[in-house]
């Protein structure tokens, strides 16, 4: 709107009125809206979107402040706020009930704004706090129901042997008398050096959901052994238990099943560096004990690096006979279990919704025959690194019309015929075919299918190329409108054309992996970075470019404003970090885009639960 010229100083009252009138007409639409309406609208946005809107004008700034101060659920896990940013978001909020924070840049002083009496759920990711922080939480958060701690470094880095981590949680145990959920996770970077003795000697008797990572099987036994002196023990209330152990043993499984009578969910994972020996191993006896848990609904037993060599079909049959109400089954490393054992689990009840097997060396296509009749409500099937599976498995899953998640990563014999059947699943939203033997023709079938796929992984599918990506996103189906996450890393024939097709036909995509695509150049990134410029907002949040060797020395200039608006995570690989004389440098780019995280450690998308030093100091 064109502004009226200001009246002269000798315009008396008329000049004043004219100035006021001109000022009112110069207001935009936002300034004319009622503040209550602006607060209501901004209150429906995510915190980061509300903060972005606040920078637009004074009206939105005031409305955003009021909206944020009234938000009851705040999730700051996608980026790492500083103490100052966290204070501006949380300081005036007295009604927040749930907070999730990436604590990479926070110190103990953050407790002054995090610890609030209204808090019910608290998730602290990548944190390294000391005793003072936990004391403040225990003192001020008396109504806390859920505490989830994902530590950034190993316990020995933070806490001395004389002052174990368990003592740091004592103020929380004392002050939070209603705690029902407790997660304590330390990173497992190397199983050879992992401190499995960092467990909790006692757990509050009110806890219903418990997760410990890592913990030794010996210390875990002390948690579940009832002490006569305690009036209320955790075994009387526990319903969900997740442990990452050094070794899963029959003794521990029997102790859990005999003492925890309300157990509904059990997740046990171990990472032994050498094959366990008796009696320190899981055998059919442990599976028989699990069969006595008739209320069990969710069961996960996985082993990495080694396998469960002492469990065979007999143990699985006893488990299936006792647990007929399982809704989730997740098995990994059962090298001696064949189709007979897996089929018994699949046919043990009609309530099964999620089924996962990884490294099933004896699992073949026969196990999934008539799965739609055995488990009519199944929504998720994950069969990872099962070498005997072929396209017949994918074809047999076609009648499972309720299927939403299908993960066949590492099954290298899945071919185009299987993809044709998969393309007709009407509710499928996640598909992982990493390493499959599919071609561009299979992608064409998927692009013309009726799947509503939002997440697709084609990593390592070496027979596909840019033509296949074009067929996928330019077909008659809807995948180009629903796809938000795409992984085409380690595919040698992916070129700039594929990136251009993605940018032009899939503007809603938020996560894209191009790792080790050796034909990608700067020109394609420029097209990708320009996505959403007409609408003013780019949906792309995460981009993996690790080991894309054809990118120029100064390709980081493509990420300077205004390109790649909204990008939160960028993977570049160690080779970029070690370069000298680049313009701009990593530090300069992060200065211009403070909300961006650059990973130079070749992590998978988003770094997940890993925490690394600030790349600016590594460079």
């Amino acid at each position: 709107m064109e502004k009226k010229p200001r009246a002269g100083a000798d315009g008396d009252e008329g000049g004043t009125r004219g100035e006021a009138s001109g000022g009112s007409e110069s207001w935009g639409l936002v300034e004319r809206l009622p503040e209550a309406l602006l607060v209501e609208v901004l209150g429906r946005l995510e915190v980061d979107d509300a903060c972005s809107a606040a920078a637009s004008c004074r009206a939105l700034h005031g409305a955003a402040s009021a909206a944020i101060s009234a938000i009851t659920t705040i999730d700051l896990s996608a980026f790492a706020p500083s103490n100052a940013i966290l204070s501006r978001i949380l300081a005036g909020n007295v009604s927040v009930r749930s907070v999730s924070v990436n604590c990479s840049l926070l110190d103990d002083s953050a407790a002054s704004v995090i610890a609030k009496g209204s808090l019910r759920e608290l998730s602290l990711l990548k944190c390294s706090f000391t005793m003072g922080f936990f004391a403040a939480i225990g003192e001020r958060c008396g109504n806390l129901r859920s505490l989830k701690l994902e530590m950034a470094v190993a316990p020995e880095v933070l806490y001395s042997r004389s002052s174990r981590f368990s003592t740091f949680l004592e103020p929380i145990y004392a002050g939070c008398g209603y705690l029902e959920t407790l997660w304590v996770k330390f990173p497992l970077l190397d199983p050879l050096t992992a401190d499995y003795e960092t467990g909790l000697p006692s757990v509050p008797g009110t806890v219903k959901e418990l997760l410990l990572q890592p913990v030794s099987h010996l210390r875990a036994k002390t948690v579940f052994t009832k002490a006569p002196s305690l009036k209320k023990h955790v075994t009387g209330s526990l319903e969900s238990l997740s442990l990452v152990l050094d070794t899963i043993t029959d003794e521990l499984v029997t102790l859990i099943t005999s003492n925890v009578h309300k157990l509904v969910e059990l997740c046990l994972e171990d990472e032994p560096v050498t094959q366990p020996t008796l009696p320190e191993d899981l055998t059919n006896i442990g599976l028989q004990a699990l069969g006595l848990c008739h209320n069990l609904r969710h069961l996960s037993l996985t082993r990495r690096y080694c396998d469960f060599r002492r469990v065979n079909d007999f143990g699985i049959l006893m488990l299936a006979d006792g647990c007929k109400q399982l809704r989730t089954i997740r098995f990994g490393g059962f090298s001696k279990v064949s189709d007979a054992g897996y089929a018994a689990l699949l046919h043990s009840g009609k309530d099964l919704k999620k089924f996962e097997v990884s490294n099933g060396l004896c699992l073949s296509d026969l196990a999934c025959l008539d799965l739609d009749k055995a488990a009519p409500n199944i929504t998720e099937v994950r069969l990872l690194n099962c070498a005997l599976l072929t396209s017949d498995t994918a074809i047999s899953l076609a009648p499972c019309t309720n299927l939403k998640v299908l993960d066949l990563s590492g099954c290298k014999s899945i071919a185009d015929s299987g993809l044709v059947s998969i393309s007709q699943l009407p509710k499928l939203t996640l598909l992982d075919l990493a390493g499959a033997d599919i071609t561009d023709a299979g992608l064409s079938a998927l692009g013309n299918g009726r799947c509503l796929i939002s997440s697709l992984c084609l990593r390592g599918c070496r027979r596909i190329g840019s033509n296949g990506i074009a067929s996928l996103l330019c077909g008659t189906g809807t995948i180009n409108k629903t796809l938000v996450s795409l992984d085409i890393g380690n595919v040698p024939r992916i070129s700039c054309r594929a990136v251009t097709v993605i940018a032009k036909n899939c503007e809603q995509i938020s996560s894209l992996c191009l790792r080790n695509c050796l034909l990608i150049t700067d020109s394609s990134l420029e097209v990708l970075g320009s996505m959403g410029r007409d609408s003013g907002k780019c949906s792309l949040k995460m981009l993996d470019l690790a080991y894309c060797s054809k990118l120029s020395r100064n390709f980081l200039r493509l990420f300077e404003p205004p390109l790649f608006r909204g990008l939160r995570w960028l993977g570049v690989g160690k080779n970029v970090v070690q370069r000298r004389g680049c313009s701009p440098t990593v530090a300069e780019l992060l200065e211009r885009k403070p909300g961006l995280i650059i990973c130079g450690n070749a992590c998978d998308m988003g770094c997940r639960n890993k925490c690394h030093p600030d790349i600016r100091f590594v460079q």
Side-chain angles (χ1 to χ4, degrees):
M1 180 180 296
E2 185 180 354
K3 291 186 179 181
K4 290 186 177 181
R6 294 186 59 179
D10 56 349
D12 299 327
E13 295 180 0
T16 305
R17 285 194 300 268
E19 183 177 337
S21 175
S24 64
E25 290 188 22
S26 68
W27 287 0
L29 175 62
V30 173
E31 285 82 356
R32 296 180 182 181
L33 293 175
E35 184 179 2
L37 178 59
L38 293 178
V39 172
E40 176 68 22
V41 171
L42 293 178
R44 297 172 182 264
L45 301 179
E46 298 293 337
V47 173
D48 52 347
D49 292 330
C51 291
S52 298
S56 302
C57 62
R58 291 182 179 180
L60 286 178
H61 184 277
S65 299
I68 292 174
S69 66
I71 293 177
T72 58
T73 300
I74 295 179
D75 186 355
L76 302 175
S77 59
F79 74 105
S82 63
N83 285 335
I85 293 175
L86 187 67
S87 179
R88 295 190 67 176
I89 294 175
L90 288 177
N93 193 318
V94 295
S95 57
V96 63
R97 298 174 66 88
S98 176
V99 173
S100 180
V101 187
N102 183 331
C103 305
S104 302
L105 303 180
L106 302 181
D107 55 32
D108 284 3
S109 64
S112 61
V113 293
I114 292 178
K116 295 179 180 291
S118 61
L119 211 56
R120 299 293 187 274
E121 300 176 359
L122 179 59
S123 297
L124 303 174
L125 313 178
K126 301 181 181 180
C127 59
S128 54
F129 299 124
T130 61
M131 184 73 170
F133 181 91
F134 297 113
I137 297 296
E139 180 181 348
R140 304 174 193 172
C141 303
N143 294 314
L144 196 66
R145 263 54 171 189
S146 173
L147 177 63
K148 298 180 179 181
L149 302 176
E150 295 188 6
M151 310 305 292
V153 294
E156 60 269 15
V157 177
L158 295 175
Y159 316 109
S160 64
R161 292 287 177 179
S162 59
S163 179
R164 302 189 63 84
F165 180 70
S166 57
T167 62
F168 283 68
L169 293 183
E170 288 178 359
I172 293 181
Y173 292 172
C176 304
Y178 304 102
L179 198 64
E180 296 180 350
T181 299
L182 178 62
W183 287 20
V184 179
K185 296 177 67 174
F186 284 94
L188 281 174
L189 301 179
D190 186 356
L192 287 172
T193 60
D195 182 12
Y196 287 95
E197 292 303 315
T198 308
L200 304 181
S202 63
V203 176
T206 57
V207 171
K208 296 181 180 179
E209 180 182 352
L210 177 64
L211 183 149
L212 302 178
Q213 170 187 304
V215 60
S216 71
H217 67 283
L218 297 175
R219 186 169 292 278
K221 287 193 295 184
T222 66
V223 175
F224 303 105
T225 302
K226 292 183 178 180
S229 59
L230 293 177
K231 295 181 179 180
K232 190 174 183 180
H233 194 265
V234 66
T235 54
S237 60
L238 201 60
E239 298 176 1
S240 174
L241 175 63
S242 300
L243 301 175
V244 178
L245 302 146
D246 53 348
T247 307
I248 302 174
T249 67
D250 287 340
E251 184 181 6
L252 176 60
V253 171
T254 303
L255 183 65
I256 292 172
T257 56
S258 59
N259 289 328
V260 187
H261 302 295
K262 296 181 180 180
L263 199 61
V264 175
E265 179 178 8
L266 178 62
C267 302
L268 301 179
E269 177 182 341
D270 69 1
E271 300 184 355
V273 292
T274 59
Q275 193 65 39
T277 58
L278 289 176
E280 305 296 328
D281 198 7
L282 180 67
T283 69
N284 289 336
I285 296 174
L287 272 291
Q288 184 179 15
L290 284 174
L292 300 177
C293 295
H294 303 303
N295 295 322
L296 205 60
R297 299 292 189 275
H298 310 278
L299 177 62
S300 175
L301 297 172
T302 59
R303 172 168 287 177
R304 298 176 61 188
Y305 307 118
C306 301
D307 55 359
F308 293 108
R309 296 184 181 180
R310 296 179 174 87
V311 175
N312 53 31
D313 289 341
F314 181 67
I316 300 296
L317 290 171
M318 289 190 291
L319 172 66
D321 186 58
C323 299
K324 295 184 178 296
Q325 301 183 61
L326 286 174
R327 298 175 184 173
T328 302
I329 298 174
R330 183 171 179 257
F331 279 3
F334 287 84
S335 59
K336 302 295 183 181
V337 178
S338 68
D339 292 334
Y342 292 119
L345 284 174
L346 290 170
H347 290 75
S348 61
K350 299 290 185 180
D351 296 328
L352 187 64
K353 292 187 176 182
K354 298 180 181 180
F355 182 68
E356 176 178 335
V357 175
S358 58
N359 300 313
L361 301 183
C362 300
L363 177 66
S364 74
D365 298 325
L366 297 175
C368 293
L369 290 177
D370 298 324
L371 181 59
D372 59 314
K373 298 176 182 178
N377 298 318
I378 196 161
T379 60
E380 183 174 320
V381 174
R382 296 179 183 268
L383 306 173
L384 290 69
N385 300 314
C386 299
L388 299 181
L389 295 185
T390 68
S391 294
D392 289 342
T393 292
I395 295 172
S396 65
L397 291 174
C400 299
T401 55
N402 291 317
L403 202 61
K404 297 180 180 179
V405 175
L406 179 58
D407 188 344
L408 299 173
S409 57
C411 300
K412 299 181 179 181
S413 297
I414 302 294
D416 289 343
S417 58
L419 201 51
V420 172
S421 299
I422 292 171
S423 67
Q424 300 306 312
L425 292 170
K427 297 182 180 180
L428 193 66
T429 59
L430 185 148
L431 178 61
D432 193 333
L433 296 170
D437 191 34
I438 59 174
T439 66
D440 292 347
L443 292 186
S444 178
L446 191 61
N448 295 320
R450 54 185 185 137
C451 298
L452 302 175
I453 295 177
S454 60
S455 178
L456 176 63
C457 179
L458 302 171
R459 180 179 293 197
C461 297
R462 306 183 68 83
R463 297 183 65 190
I464 66 173
S466 296
N467 290 337
I469 300 300
S471 300
L472 175 71
L473 298 179
C474 299
T476 59
T478 59
I479 190 170
N480 59 344
K481 298 180 180 65
T482 60
L483 193 65
V484 296
S485 177
L486 178 62
D487 186 340
I488 47 176
N490 297 332
V491 179
R493 294 169 56 203
I494 293 296
S495 66
C496 296
R497 179 178 177 234
V499 179
T500 303
V501 169
I502 294 170
K504 292 183 177 180
N505 295 276
C506 207
E507 285 195 353
Q508 75 284 351
I509 196 163
S510 64
S511 174
L512 179 61
C513 177
L514 300 171
R515 163 186 300 245
N516 205 26
C517 291
L518 304 181
L519 302 179
I520 302 298
T521 64
D522 291 16
S523 60
S524 58
L525 287 187
E526 191 167 358
V527 175
L528 191 64
S530 301
M531 280 197 314
R533 291 187 69 175
D534 295 337
S535 61
K537 183 176 181 181
C538 180
S539 60
L540 193 63
K541 297 291 189 294
M542 294 192 291
L543 178 62
D544 190 351
L545 297 174
Y547 308 117
C548 293
S549 56
K550 268 205 168 184
L551 294 176
S552 70
R553 182 179 185 83
N554 297 319
F555 82 95
L556 287 179
R557 64 181 171 79
L558 299 171
F559 293 89
E560 294 185 296
L563 298 180
F564 288 100
R565 292 183 178 181
L567 192 68
R568 293 290 182 79
W569 186 90
L570 175 63
V572 295
K574 297 180 180 179
N575 54 334
V576 175
V577 179
Q578 294 169 354
R579 291 177 183 172
R580 302 294 178 184
C582 299
S583 179
T585 64
V586 170
E588 290 171 344
L589 180 59
L590 291 177
E591 185 70 24
R592 295 163 191 166
K593 285 193 171 183
L596 179 64
I597 295 174
I598 297 181
C599 174
N601 293 276
C603 296
D604 280 331
M605 194 73 75
C607 294
R608 298 192 180 171
N609 194 31
K610 294 184 179 179
C611 187
H612 309 294
D614 194 314
I615 193 172
R616 285 170 284 195
F617 304 116
V618 176
Q619 195 181 28

